[in-house]
């Protein structure tokens, strides 16, 4: 017969194991939903989870402070600009462009579309789209403007998106190496006689900032980071807190372990803040003042950390990734002045 303290220890172990099960389940759900390219079979798609999520949304909606009479939502989201986005996409696909592929350092076939400027130009913009989107959507309000301003455009599909291979979305950690390769491709295509600008929105913004921590071609003259998060860990922690009212510990720790084992990268493996502390390329940071998905403070943190020449534009009424749509004239003026400044520095 086992002593009483052994029984207690055994019961405690069983209890801890039972508590660990829901933690692992939530962590695996986070991984499958956020990291897997094909998350159609994740727990999130199961009927009972959808019903639970719906009930949670109802509860949180009741807790939310109602708008006062005459008050409107501060932020303008993509839904408010559906027509502009469709027009921008249609314009890009109607142009004569070149489809380019290359192999990533870890063997994935990556795809991009190259749209040359109408007239001779040495200026090239590489446009990096955001999470589960593409450059034709995220940059729909800008592609025609940039092209008519005399830029050659390279619009890659980030790994695990669109026409590019990949099973896991890596939130900039591995995508930064892909961007370095695209930059090298453009520098070689122009035989070094070009000025390259890296522009990214949301996850694409994090990608361009993380790439700045690598040794990029000398032809890269400037970076435009629009609503970039600071690291996978930071954005997941923020979403867990703001959208689900859950603490980051221990769910995020377990999800990080799952991600290391299955996707081969860690949530804290690369930080844009650390990359900015070692960066020498001028950066224009842009963020929506009403962004509730990637907190505006993250661009402030990146800006403060940046040791290179830097500028900051906050579009107060813009929600996530809509600054160029909410204030198109101010946005375009700022980016053109920034790139002109960077391009004249040699």
């Amino acid at each position: 017969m086992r002593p009483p303290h052994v029984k207690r220890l055994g019961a405690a172990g069983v209890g801890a194991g039972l508590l660990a099960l829901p933690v692992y389940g939530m962590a695996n759900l986070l991984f499958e939903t956020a990291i897997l390219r094909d998350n159609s079979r994740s727990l999130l798609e199961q009927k009972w989870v959808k019903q639970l999520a719906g009930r949670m949304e109802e509860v949180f909606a009741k807790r939310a402070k109602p708008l006062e009479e005459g008050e409107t939502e501060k932020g303008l989201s993509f839904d408010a600009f559906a027509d502009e986005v469709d027009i921008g996409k249609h314009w890009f696909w109607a142009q004569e462009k070149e489809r380019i592929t290359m192999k990533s350092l870890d063997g994935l076939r990556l795809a991009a579309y190259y749209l040359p400027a109408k007239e001779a130009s040495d200026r090239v913009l590489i446009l990096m789209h955001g999470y589960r989107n593409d450059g034709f959507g995220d940059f729909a309000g800008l592609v025609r403007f940039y092209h008519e301003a005399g830029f050659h455009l390279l619009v890659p599909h980030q790994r695990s998106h669109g026409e590019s291979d990949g099973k896991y979305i890596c939130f900039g950690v591995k995508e930064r190496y892909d961007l370095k390769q695209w930059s090298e491709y453009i520098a070689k295509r122009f035989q070094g006689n070009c000025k390259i600008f890296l522009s990214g929105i949301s996850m694409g913004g994090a990608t361009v900032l993380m790439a700045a921590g690598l040794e990029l071609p000398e032809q890269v003259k400037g970076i435009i980071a629009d609503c970039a998060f600071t690291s996978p860990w930071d954005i997941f922690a923020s979403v867990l807190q703001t959208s689900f009212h859950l603490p980051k510990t221990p769910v995020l720790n377990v999800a990080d372990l799952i991600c290391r084992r299955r996707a081969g990268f860690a949530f804290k493996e690369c930080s844009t803040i650390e990359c900015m502390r070692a960066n020498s390329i001028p950066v224009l940071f842009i963020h929506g003042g009403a962004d509730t998905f990637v907190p505006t403070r993250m661009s402030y943190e990146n800006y403060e950390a940046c040791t290179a020449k830097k500028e900051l534009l906050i579009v107060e009424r813009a929600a996530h990734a809509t600054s160029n749509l909410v204030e198109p004239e101010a946005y375009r003026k700022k980016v053109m002045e920034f790139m002109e400044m960077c391009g004249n520095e040699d």
Side-chain angles (χ1 to χ4, degrees), residues 54-239:
R55 288 197 294 270
M56 290 174 64
E57 287 181 4
E58 291 176 2
V59 171
F60 293 136
K62 291 178 181 178
R63 292 180 181 177
K65 179 183 176 182
L67 296 174
E68 300 293 336
E69 184 177 353
E71 185 181 1
T72 59
E73 291 290 350
K74 181 182 178 184
L76 294 173
S77 67
F78 254 104
D79 294 340
F81 302 97
D83 291 342
E84 290 93 328
V85 171
D86 286 342
I87 291 171
K89 286 183 177 181
H90 179 77
W91 178 87
F92 187 88
W93 284 112
Q95 307 308 303
E96 292 187 13
K97 52 199 171 298
E98 177 185 353
R99 186 178 185 273
I100 302 165
T101 61
M102 73 172 185
K103 184 168 288 189
S104 70
L105 297 176
D106 53 352
L108 299 179
R109 185 178 61 87
L110 304 177
Y113 282 89
Y114 177 75
L115 178 61
K118 290 182 178 180
E119 299 179 356
S121 173
D122 64 350
R123 299 183 299 172
V124 187
L125 260 166
I126 303 180
L127 306 178
M128 303 301 289
H129 66 79
Y131 179 71
R132 298 196 187 279
N133 206 331
D134 55 45
F136 327 115
D138 277 343
F139 290 92
L142 291 167
V143 283
R144 184 171 185 174
F145 168 75
Y146 284 147
H147 188 251
E148 292 180 348
F151 285 88
H152 306 279
L153 303 181
L154 182 70
V155 188
H157 290 280
Q158 296 221 55
R159 61 170 56 209
S160 302
H161 288 79
E163 298 173 26
S164 289
D165 291 346
K167 184 176 180 180
Y168 305 108
I169 301 172
C170 305
F171 286 78
V173 175
K174 292 187 178 182
E175 290 86 349
R176 58 183 164 150
Y177 297 105
D178 304 336
L179 177 53
K180 181 177 186 291
Q181 287 185 260
W182 286 122
S183 301
E184 292 168 343
Y185 164 80
I186 290 295
K188 184 177 180 180
R189 180 171 180 141
F190 281 79
Q191 298 180 326
N193 300 314
C194 61
K195 298 171 182 177
I196 302 172
F197 299 91
L198 311 179
S199 181
I201 294 179
S202 191
M203 189 185 82
T207 299
V208 298
L209 293 181
M210 290 180 181
L214 306 174
E215 187 176 347
L216 296 176
E218 63 180 10
Q219 288 80 12
V220 176
K221 302 299 182 182
I223 295 171
I224 303 166
D226 187 337
C227 59
F229 52 78
T230 48
S231 73
W233 178 277
D234 292 342
I235 188 60
F236 291 152
S238 177
V239 170

